[in-house]
Amino acid sequence: MELSCKSEYAILALLEMAAYYESGEPLQIRQIAAQQNIPDRYLEQLLATLRRGGIVKSQRGSKGGYLLTREPRKIILFEILECLEGLEALAGEENVNPKSIDSSVIEEIWQEASRAANSVLQKYTLQDLCEKRDSRRQLDIMYYI
């Protein structure tokens, strides 16, 4: 299973929003794009998809921008990828009429791998990613001292 550029950019944007979640301040697209090196136009499309999926919400006005709809600890990675890539992309399509025994064996292994990947993605939240990032930043600071 490979992480698409679309999903990676979206998760980076969500990590940025998670850092500001407690303040309640919305982040503007240009702020997120500059901080995470994501093209503005592409980020705009990703945030629209995440908004339709109920993961972020938008706020209009001069102080407007994007916010998470709920706490980072309540946003599961599987949910993010499901919103962006669609359930079919994550689950894989079961082959009802395999072409051969060989194809059937390959399909079974692929389905098992897909279930394992989905299980891992359902275990981690946006908060888990934030905590991993923060602990790595601490290690990086300690390394330079």
Side-chain angles (χ1 to χ4, degrees):
M1 182 174 189
E2 191 173 316
L3 183 65
S4 70
C5 186
K6 172 171 60 170
S7 293
E8 183 176 0
Y9 279 165
I11 292 170
L12 287 171
L14 292 170
L15 278 171
E16 193 64 28
M17 285 187 266
Y20 290 88
Y21 178 78
E22 291 296 322
S23 74
E25 297 283 325
L27 288 178
Q28 295 179 348
I29 288 175
R30 63 182 161 76
Q31 290 174 288
I32 299 168
Q35 194 66 30
Q36 295 294 339
N37 295 317
I38 303 170
D40 291 28
R41 299 260 181 189
Y42 193 48
L43 180 58
E44 193 174 334
Q45 294 171 4
L46 293 174
L47 291 173
T49 301
L50 292 168
R51 186 177 49 76
R52 285 189 298 273
I55 295 172
V56 300
K57 60 184 174 182
S58 59
Q59 183 174 311
R60 293 180 181 249
S62 61
K63 302 265 187 200
Y66 286 86
L67 302 136
L68 298 176
T69 56
R70 52 196 156 12
E71 298 173 57
R73 68 181 179 84
K74 293 184 178 178
I75 299 175
I76 298 167
L77 290 184
F78 182 84
E79 174 187 7
I80 297 166
L81 295 177
E82 183 180 38
C83 173
L84 294 163
E85 306 289 348
L87 188 56
E88 305 82 38
L90 291 174
E93 293 182 16
E94 301 244 0
N95 195 348
V96 179
N97 297 324
K99 296 175 184 97
S100 67
I101 291 174
D102 295 346
S103 293
S104 177
V105 169
I106 292 168
E107 181 67 26
E108 287 173 19
I109 299 299
W110 190 256
Q111 289 300 318
E112 183 180 343
S114 180
R115 285 190 298 272
N118 290 347
S119 175
V120 170
L121 293 170
Q122 289 176 352
K123 190 169 72 171
Y124 286 98
T125 66
L126 198 52
Q127 182 66 38
D128 295 329
L129 290 182
C130 290
E131 290 169 3
K132 282 180 178 284
R133 177 200 57 201
D134 295 345
S135 69
R136 292 235 174 119
R137 282 182 178 164
Q138 287 297 333
L139 287 174
D140 196 40
I141 290 169
M142 295 301 286
Y143 181 73
Y144 289 111
I145 292 179

